[in-house]
């Protein structure tokens, strides 16, 4: 694969801040490729591979996001988080089992806190859902998590990006390989059924490009925006509509109406002039009678063979 040309980003390029776990890091790599040729958009990854909502003692996203937004001053925040959260969570003094009633209530509270923190910073954001995973139980949990993320995003003015269909087959089952962004079959996931390949990272970004471009004010994913354009404002004037194509259609005509083309009768209406019935060709086609073969010719099947006359030998020599 040829290397893409490196486009230097403008000093005042719009910042897209990507936060979350190791899948968010892969998403940021895919977005880097998607916007590589756009000098006015810069992807900044501040993911923490082992983080999640469960272990807030290790990394507390609702708290950390505030300082990240203040430091990076992003135009958009992209969140992808949750692949590490299938574990016990301490709620008060009790360790709750994953997806138990108390566990789920606390999990919803923490996801809601992250959405509110971004909303309070007055920055538009996208919340990218989890894909399917190799383990069936993990896939089932991710479906439940996605419902929670969807609710948190909508509650706080964000937009949920559903990537699920890009990593399952037509029956909704996890797939290791599948179509890339160009429809070509590629490997999307690693052997562990969790991590994503380079093509998989680009596919995650593909689902995020369109809503991201809309927030940034781009006319379409991959187009170049001006660095001075305000967030959310369209920056490319729409092209004038093309003039309607005038089609000169021919009116239908009947086979019984030859006057439409200036004629007076249909082709083949007049019978052809009759040929001389005594000609060998006419006898052969009309009566089925072949002319008598010349003695010694290839089609002379008489027996015993006739002796060619001098005139026939002369005519044969002439034909040769």
């Amino acid at each position: 694969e040829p290397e893409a040309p490196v486009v230097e980003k403008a000093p005042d390029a719009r910042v897209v801040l990507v936060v979350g776990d190791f899948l968010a890091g892969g998403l940021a790599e895919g977005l880097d490729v998607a916007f590589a040729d756009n000098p006015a958009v810069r992807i900044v990854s501040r993911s923490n591979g082992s983080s999640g909502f469960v272990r807030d003692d290790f990394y507390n996203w609702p708290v950390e996001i505030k300082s990240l937004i203040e430091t990076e001053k992003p135009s958009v925040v992209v969140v992808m988080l949750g692949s590490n959260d299938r574990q016990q969570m301490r709620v008060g003094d009790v360790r709750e089992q994953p997806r138990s009633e108390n566990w789920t209530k606390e999990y919803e509270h923490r996801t809601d806190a992250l959405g509110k923190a971004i909303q309070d910073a007055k920055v538009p954001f996208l919340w990218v859902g989890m894909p399917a995973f190799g383990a069936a139980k993990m896939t089932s949990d991710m479906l439940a998590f996605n419902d929670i993320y969807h609710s948190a995003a909508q509650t706080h003015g964000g937009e949920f990006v559903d990537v699920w269909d890009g990593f399952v087959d037509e029956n909704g089952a996890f797939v290791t390989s599948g179509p890339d962004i160009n429809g070509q079959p590629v490997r999307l996931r690693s052997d562990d059924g969790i991590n994503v390949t380079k093509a998989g990272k680009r596919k995650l970004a593909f689902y995020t490009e369109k809503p991201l471009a809309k927030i940034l004010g781009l006319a379409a994913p991959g187009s170049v925006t001006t660095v001075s354009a305000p967030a959310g404002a369209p920056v490319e004037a729409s092209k004038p509509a093309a003039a309607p194509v005038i089609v000169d259609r021919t009116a239908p005509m009947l086979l019984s109406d030859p006057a439409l083309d200036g004629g007076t009768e249909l082709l083949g209406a007049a019978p052809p002039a009759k040929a001389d019935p005594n000609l060998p060709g006419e006898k052969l086609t009309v009566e089925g009678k072949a002319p008598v073969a010349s003695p010694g010719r290839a089609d002379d099947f008489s027996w015993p063979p006739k002796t060619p006359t001098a005139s026939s030998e002369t005519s044969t020599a002439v034909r040769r």
Side-chain angles (χ1 to χ4, degrees):
E1 183 178 348
E3 293 185 4
V6 178
V7 176
E8 186 176 353
K9 302 298 181 180
D12 53 352
R14 310 271 285 286
V15 172
V16 176
L17 177 62
V18 183
V19 299
D21 54 27
F22 63 92
L23 286 181
L27 170 62
E29 291 180 32
L31 289 173
D32 256 332
V33 175
F35 290 93
D37 59 350
N38 193 326
V41 177
R42 182 161 56 92
I43 308 300
V44 175
S45 177
R46 290 293 180 265
S47 60
N48 186 315
S50 301
S51 66
F53 290 110
V54 171
R55 290 293 307 274
D56 59 356
D57 57 322
F58 169 72
Y59 198 88
N60 192 325
W61 277 108
V63 173
E64 299 294 337
I65 193 64
K66 298 176 182 178
S67 60
L68 289 175
I69 291 176
E70 291 175 359
T71 302
E72 302 297 341
K73 296 178 174 53
S75 297
V76 187
V77 174
V78 179
V79 180
M80 190 172 190
L81 192 60
S83 55
N84 297 316
D85 287 342
R86 297 177 63 256
Q87 55 181 302
Q88 293 180 349
M89 177 165 49
R90 182 178 292 278
V91 181
D93 295 330
V94 180
R95 287 188 174 275
E96 299 288 349
Q97 294 298 318
R99 294 186 60 193
S100 64
E101 183 177 355
N102 290 337
W103 189 99
T104 301
K105 287 182 179 179
E106 180 63 20
Y107 196 79
E108 291 174 345
H109 172 72
R110 297 184 185 187
T111 56
D112 188 75
L114 177 59
K116 186 177 186 304
I118 302 175
Q119 183 183 37
D120 291 344
K122 295 180 171 54
V123 179
F125 70 97
L126 301 174
W127 198 312
V128 181
M130 290 285 108
F133 289 91
K137 184 62 171 67
M138 191 173 185
T139 293
S140 175
D141 290 342
M142 291 304 129
L143 282 170
F145 288 178
N146 281 345
D147 288 340
I148 297 174
Y149 306 149
H150 194 176
S151 177
Q154 287 191 327
T155 300
H156 298 287
E159 181 177 351
F160 181 76
V161 179
D162 191 350
V163 302
W164 192 267
D165 289 344
F167 297 88
V168 294
D169 61 16
E170 62 274 10
N171 298 317
F174 168 84
V175 291
T176 301
S177 299
D180 64 3
I181 64 173
N182 297 314
Q184 300 301 312
V186 295
R187 188 175 181 87
L188 299 172
R189 309 298 285 273
S190 58
D191 292 336
D192 59 11
I194 297 175
N195 288 283
V196 290
T197 63
K198 182 179 179 181
K201 295 172 183 178
R202 183 64 185 89
K203 194 167 187 178
L204 286 174
F206 173 78
Y207 281 90
T208 314
E209 284 179 66
K210 189 173 181 179
L212 183 56
K214 182 178 178 182
I215 295 174
L216 291 173
L218 300 178
S223 61
V224 178
T225 181
T226 58
V227 295
S228 59
V235 296
E236 291 188 1
S238 58
K239 297 181 179 179
V245 178
I246 300 176
V247 180
D248 186 11
R249 300 186 184 278
T250 303
M253 64 177 68
L254 299 175
L255 292 177
S256 60
D257 189 9
L260 290 175
D261 62 355
T264 58
E265 61 182 17
L266 293 174
L267 291 176
K274 292 185 177 180
D276 185 355
N278 296 318
L279 293 174
E282 287 299 309
K283 287 187 176 182
L284 177 63
T285 56
V286 177
E287 301 178 16
K289 295 180 179 180
V292 179
S294 301
R297 203 169 63 183
D299 58 348
D300 178 19
F301 301 108
S302 60
W303 190 261
K306 298 177 182 178
T307 303
T309 63
S311 59
S312 64
E313 289 180 351
T314 303
S315 62
T316 303
V318 171
R319 284 195 296 271
R320 291 177 181 174

